[in-house]
Amino acid sequence: MEKKIIEVKNYTFKYPDGREVLSNINFSVMQKECFGIIGANGAGKTTLLLSMVGILKGKGLIKIDGLILSEKTLKEIRKKVGFLFQDPDVQLFSPTVYEDVAFGPINLGLPPDIVKNKVEHALSKVGLSGFENRISHHLSIGEKRKVALAGILSMEPDMLLLDEPSSGLDPRARRELLKLLFNLEKTKIIATHDLDLVNILCDRLMILKKGIVVWIGKPSDILEKKKILEEYGL
Ligand SMILES: Nc1ncnc2c1ncn2[C@@H]1O[C@H](COP(=O)(O)OP(=O)(O)OP(=O)(O)O)[C@@H](O)[C@H]1O
Ligand SMILES: [Mg+2]
């Protein structure tokens, strides 16, 4: 874990209504690191993740694997980063599960037999083998989240940005997700309210409070400090 793979410097974001929801954010993530972002509802976690893949654009610098995020580098950066949206309905837009998971690999121009292979592999990783012909929009929320995750895994990105990956999952699915993420040797940034998950998975945590970074460090150094967590709405 030597190389800095993601850098965010002096990043500030305002929504069009003028409210500044991220203020002068600074942090970096090392290659293969699992980096957790925690904070109360509305702290700015989703806004920050969306900014890191250029969906939202604020002021400051975001650098991913040596590339400064801009219109020019966006396409290349998106190839390296798999993004799991907080709301799986945003991510799933094809009629069937197969097509949803195959969308990325097809776009990469891979031949049909390789696409099929990747889809099957990704679905089995999230525990949804046999779901290929199911209608994405008829799935339960937890199933949708798993399909969305399979769609990302099928692209084999170097980095994963995951917004609330465990929400809506039943205890077994959550345990399986934890195991899956634990065994994935990739750079991971996880925004979540699941303190147990970050404690198990993350090398470092960042706490956001009302758009400000209030703490960065090892999970073990903060997660037992109940009073401080309470103060940050956790
Ligand atoms: N499109 C928008 N226009 C204006 N304000 C917005 C918009 N989207 C989000 N916000 C506001 O920005 C702030 C940060 O929201 P964000 O979704 O990033 O928080 P979050 O930490 O992800 O919260 P949660 O834990 O509920 O997912 C909130 O106050 C929210 O109301
Ligand atoms: Mg959010």
Side-chain angles (χ1 to χ4, degrees), residues 51-227:
S51 298
M52 293 170 70
V53 285
I55 295 174
L56 297 175
K57 216 170 135 215
K59 286 205 175 98
L61 179 115
I62 296 176
K63 206 168 162 189
I64 296 188
D65 200 8
L67 298 169
I68 292 172
L69 182 70
S70 71
E71 299 279 316
K72 263 196 210 152
T73 57
L74 196 55
K75 215 172 147 196
E76 200 167 337
I77 285 176
R78 290 218 178 130
K79 275 191 208 153
K80 298 172 190 274
V81 180
F83 194 96
L84 185 75
F85 285 88
Q86 183 163 5
D87 174 2
D89 280 321
V90 175
Q91 200 133 17
L92 305 178
F93 43 78
S94 304
T96 66
V97 166
Y98 184 91
E99 289 162 281
D100 261 322
V101 180
F103 182 81
I106 287 173
N107 260 3
L108 290 180
L110 298 172
D113 52 325
I114 296 199
V115 170
K116 187 160 180 273
N117 226 305
K118 286 193 185 281
V119 173
E120 273 164 17
H121 187 64
L123 282 174
S124 104
K125 272 203 159 172
V126 300
L128 289 188
S129 292
F131 271 63
E132 286 82 351
N133 297 319
R134 298 280 292 271
I135 297 165
S136 300
H137 279 278
H138 290 174
L139 299 176
S140 74
I141 296 192
E143 289 167 341
K144 283 180 184 170
R145 199 175 299 284
K146 291 184 201 171
V147 174
L149 187 61
I152 293 163
L153 296 177
S154 71
M155 300 279 286
E156 296 173 42
D158 298 338
M159 286 165 257
L160 295 175
L161 264 55
L162 308 172
D163 199 352
E164 303 283 358
S166 65
S167 96
L169 297 188
D170 66 44
R172 193 174 72 186
R174 183 177 163 280
R175 271 198 306 279
E176 279 161 7
L177 174 79
L178 271 162
K179 207 159 80 186
L180 171 71
L181 293 178
F182 190 82
N183 291 320
L184 267 184
E185 281 206 23
K186 294 178 189 290
T187 308
K188 285 165 274 192
I189 300 190
I190 306 177
T192 186
H193 296 286
D194 189 340
L195 298 182
D196 188 46
L197 177 142
V198 288
N199 191 26
I200 293 169
L201 290 180
C202 292
D203 302 298
R204 284 186 305 145
L205 288 183
M206 174 164 89
I207 302 179
L208 281 181
K209 185 185 181 186
K210 293 184 181 160
I212 292 167
V213 175
V214 289
W215 193 84
I216 297 179
K218 286 202 189 109
S220 55
D221 290 340
I222 189 89
L223 290 178
E224 64 254 34
K225 299 199 171 94
K226 297 242 155 57
K227 253 183 116 170

